[in-house]
């Protein structure tokens, strides 16, 4: 299942349709032995775009990036960078640079020499190398560290050097392979902001590989959600969050309550705890289908039900018992047992959250426009995917 | 409760004892003997009169040609080991899948299970004028008469390359392996081709291993006398044989000690000179890529 987000022409060589910085993958497949790492991917990245490849480990995102860098060759399909077919072209002849996961700085060279390495491979005059290296180090605010060795720097500092070393060559496309994965959380959030600012300043296409949905959501113009070598959905963050294409994407981004149900028609269904309705029409759902109704914890309303009585029959309204409540800082998270082995998560802003604790009776409601119906299939696990 | 705290260097005590008893003391004795003389036909050494006469003897034309011969075999043999061993080590560390490397390392080590002398004598059979190598080369028409290299310097050179090559390959393999794929990929990503990557990333990072391999081959090779005795004959003498002869046959420990000291000094000086030559030769290459920006912000 690929997103037909490409209107690419089939001509090779430079073309007005694909200006510098455009990356086009057409029906790209890569196998390792019998395992299919990348399965018929078609993708177009526009010049200056920040595109993230997001998925759990083993979904083919890193292999895709390595094919763009030239470290792997696709078994089928074609890859064009800036309108030029790069099939069979080695990494050192491609106008792309990579920021590696573990930075891969040269330990025997100083910071300045690391940054100069790419420029020294071309016929750039020495004086120009000096100024460009100094400028690149200024850009990442590491100028004062120029004559140190990489081992003397912290992880965050090394990450900036890796970025400067790649950007100093003025590539048409920058590839980033989980560059923030090794940093602690606070530093990672800082670097996300810096990286996004930097990208909009240099105007280079960024292709960013990550398994961290927050990272992808906060920085990307568009996100490609990958699973088992295929792109499940390619869209901007709002669309991915608000209108996921299937239950896998719905479950992968953010948190999601899934209620098993049987569709009556495209907007209403019966679950084990009562009727559910939606205003979001999914053309893949037909009356009588087994479906899942998805609603995010942040859209679930919760109120104490003093009388303890049932509210029978009303759609999207359920009575339940609080199983647990936990304080997450700006929000409070509740787990509510709705009976019939169905429970639902609700996350409410701390100032307005009802004071309910374990065993209290509560009424759960959500509005039909926050509910989405998907055909029943395997869904993504709710927990954070493990790190590669 | 008071705790007994030994200095941390105590852990190295066995090594210190070993080094003192079996290295420093014998070398000191050799140096001491080298200033003495052989007193009579039955005595091996005497030190009541000290002189530099034994050194004059050791460096006389008779023995000097053997020292220069040793230096030639040592330098050429070590460089040959480097040139042959480097591609093998690189191939093993970079191209061969990890799972198959153990087998290759075993293949390199297995000859060591056979006695050094026996392995060397094996080359007598191969290199003999009537041996299969000679006959084979004659059969394909590469040489006209029988192969006449046994009991020459060439035979010694072949022998030492064969005997010491594994000592070059193993440290080089470890060094190349430790450079790692990510740094080579980073280099290529930054526009460096295969040769540039090798010269600017692989070699500088593998330098400790290369130096270790060179010393590991050069030092024992210079002192080797078994290979020269078995394959060298009269034309392929090496200094190690001279030392052994003075101690074992001639019973002249004073002269043998002087020769041993000359050999040690030759090894130290030549290694230092060779190191300096390589350092100077690569200086332009290294300074070309040197970049210091200074601390101004």
């Amino acid at each position: 299942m690929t997103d037909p987000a490409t209107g690419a022409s089939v001509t090779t060589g430079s073309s007005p349709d694909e200006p510098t910085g455009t990356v086009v993958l057409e029906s790209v497949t890569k196998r390792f032995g019998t395992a299919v790492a990348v399965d018929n991917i078609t993708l177009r990245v526009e010049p200056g775009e920040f595109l993230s490849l997001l998925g759990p480990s083993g979904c083919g995102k890193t292999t895709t990036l390595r094919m763009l860098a030239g470290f792997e060759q696709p078994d089928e399909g074609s890859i064009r960078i800036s309108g030029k077919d790069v099939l069979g072209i080695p990494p050192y002849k491609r106008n792309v640079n990579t920021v590696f996961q573990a930075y891969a700085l040269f330990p025997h060279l100083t910071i300045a020499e690391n940054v100069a390495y790419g420029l020294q491979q071309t016929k750039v005059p020495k004086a120009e190398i000096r100024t460009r290296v100094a400028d690149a180090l200024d850009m990442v605010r590491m100028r004062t560290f120029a004559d140190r060795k990489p081992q003397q720097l912290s992880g965050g500092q090394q990450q900036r050097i890796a970025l400067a070393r790649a950007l100093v060559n003025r590539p048409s496309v920058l590839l980033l392979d989980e560059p923030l994965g090794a940093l602690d959380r606070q530093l990672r959030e800082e670097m996300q902001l810096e990286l996004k600012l930097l990208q909009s300043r240099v105007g280079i296409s960024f292709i960013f590989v990550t398994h961290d949905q927050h990272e992808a959501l906060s920085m990307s113009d568009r996100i490609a959600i990958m699973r088992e070598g295929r792109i499940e959905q390619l869209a901007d963050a709002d669309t991915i969050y608000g209108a996921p294409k299937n239950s896998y994407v719905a479950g992968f981004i953010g948190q999601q309550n899934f209620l098993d149900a049987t569709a009556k028609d495209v907007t209403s269904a019966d679950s084990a705890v009562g009727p559910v309705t939606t205003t979001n029409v999914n053309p893949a759902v037909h009356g009588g289908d087994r479906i899942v109704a998805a609603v995010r914890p942040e859209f679930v309303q919760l109120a104490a039900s003093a009388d303890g009585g049932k509210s029978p029959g009303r759609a999207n309204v359920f009575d339940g018992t609080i199983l647990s409540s936990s304080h997450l800082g700006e929000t409070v998270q509740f787990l509510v047992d709705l009976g019939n082995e169905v429970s639902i998560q609700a996350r409410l802003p701390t100032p307005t959250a009802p004071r309910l604790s374990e065993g209290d009776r509560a009424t759960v409601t959500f509005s039909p426009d926050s509910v989405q119906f998907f055909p029943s299939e395997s869904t993504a696990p709710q927990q954070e995917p493990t790190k590669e | 409760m008071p705790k007994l705290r030994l200095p941390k260097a105590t852990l190295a005590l066995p090594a210190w004892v070993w080094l003192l008893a079996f290295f420093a003391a014998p070398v000191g004795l050799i140096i001491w003997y080298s200033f003495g003389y052989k007193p009579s036909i039955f005595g091996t050494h005497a030190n009541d009169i000290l002189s530099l006469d034994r050194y004059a003897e050791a460096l006389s034309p008779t023995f000097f040609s053997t020292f220069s011969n040793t230096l030639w075999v040592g330098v050429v043999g070590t460089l040959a080991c480097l040139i042959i061993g480097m591609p093998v080590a690189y191939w093993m560390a970079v191209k061969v899948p990890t799972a198959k490397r153990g087998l290759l390392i075993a293949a390199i080590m297995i000859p060591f299970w056979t006695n050094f002398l026996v392995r060397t004598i094996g080359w007598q059979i191969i290199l003999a004028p009537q041996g299969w190598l000679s006959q084979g080369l004659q059969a394909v028409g590469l040489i006209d008469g029988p192969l006449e290299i046994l009991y020459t310097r060439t035979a010694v050179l072949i022998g030492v390359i064969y005997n010491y090559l594994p000592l070059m390959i193993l440290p080089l393999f470890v060094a190349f392996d430790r450079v790692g794929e990510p740094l080579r990929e980073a280099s290529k990503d930054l526009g460096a081709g295969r040769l540039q990557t090798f010269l600017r990333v692989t070699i500088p990072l593998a330098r400790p291993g290369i130096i270790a391999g060179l010393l590991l081959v050069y030092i024992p090779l210079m002192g080797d006398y078994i290979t020269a005795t078995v394959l060298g004959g009269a034309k392929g003498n090496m200094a190690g044989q001279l030392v052994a002869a003075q101690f074992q046959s001639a019973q002249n420990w004073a002269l043998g000690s002087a020769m041993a000291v000359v050999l040690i000094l030759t090894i130290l000086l030549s290694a230092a000179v060779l190191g300096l030559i390589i350092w100077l030769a690569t200086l332009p290459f290294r300074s070309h890529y040197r970049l210091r920006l200074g601390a101004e912000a």
Side-chain angles (χ1 to χ4, degrees), chain B residues 180-281:
Chain B
E181 186 68 20
L183 289 184
R184 284 192 298 273
E185 284 191 347
S187 171
K188 285 177 188 161
D189 188 75
L190 291 165
R194 289 161 201 277
L195 184 66
Q196 275 289 311
T197 300
F198 186 70
L199 292 178
R200 290 210 57 206
V201 176
T202 307
I203 290 283
L205 286 172
R207 199 176 59 173
I210 296 169
I211 292 171
L214 286 171
L215 292 178
L216 224 50
V217 168
Y218 185 66
I219 293 169
L221 201 165
M222 286 291 282
D224 185 9
Y225 73 98
I226 295 178
T227 312
T229 308
V230 174
L231 301 174
K235 283 184 272 181
N237 261 335
M238 281 180 71
Q241 286 170 285
L242 295 184
V243 178
Q246 290 305 323
F247 274 91
Q248 289 165 358
S249 325
Q251 295 284 307
N252 188 344
W253 288 19
L255 181 56
S257 295
M259 285 172 168
V261 172
V262 170
L263 183 59
I264 291 169
L265 291 177
T266 308
I267 293 172
L268 286 176
L269 270 175
S270 57
V273 168
L274 286 173
L276 190 68
I277 289 171
I278 294 169
W279 188 82
L280 284 173

Side-chain angles (χ1 to χ4, degrees), chain A residues 37-38 41 53 56-65 67 226 228-229:
Chain A
V38 171
I41 276 187
L53 300 176
S57 54
C59 73
K61 56 191 194 299
T62 296
T63 306
T64 306
L65 200 76
M67 286 193 285
M226 293 185 67
E228 289 165 15

Side-chain angles (χ1 to χ4, degrees), chain A residues 66 71 91-92 97-98 100 104-108 110 112-113 116-118 120-121 126 130 143 146-147 165 169, chain B residues 182-183 185-194 196-197 200-201 204-205 287-294 296-297:
Chain A
R66 289 176 60 81
F71 299 127
Y92 48 88
N97 285 110
T98 308
F100 294 89
L105 299 177
F106 304 120
H108 60 300
T110 66
E113 286 164 350
Y117 192 90
Q120 286 169 342
Q121 304 305 326
K126 269 195 162 182
R130 274 189 87 87
R143 177 70 178 78
D147 296 334
R165 185 177 70 171
N169 306 296
Chain B
L183 289 184
E185 284 191 347
S187 171
K188 285 177 188 161
D189 188 75
L190 291 165
R194 289 161 201 277
Q196 275 289 311
T197 300
R200 290 210 57 206
V201 176
L205 286 172
S287 64
H288 178 75
Y289 294 111
R290 202 182 134 88
L291 179 65
R292 291 289 179 275
L293 286 186
E296 92 272 12

Side-chain angles (χ1 to χ4, degrees), chain A residues 30-37 75:
Chain A
K30 174 72 186 174
R31 298 182 197 89
F32 293 109
T34 54
V36 182
D75 294 315

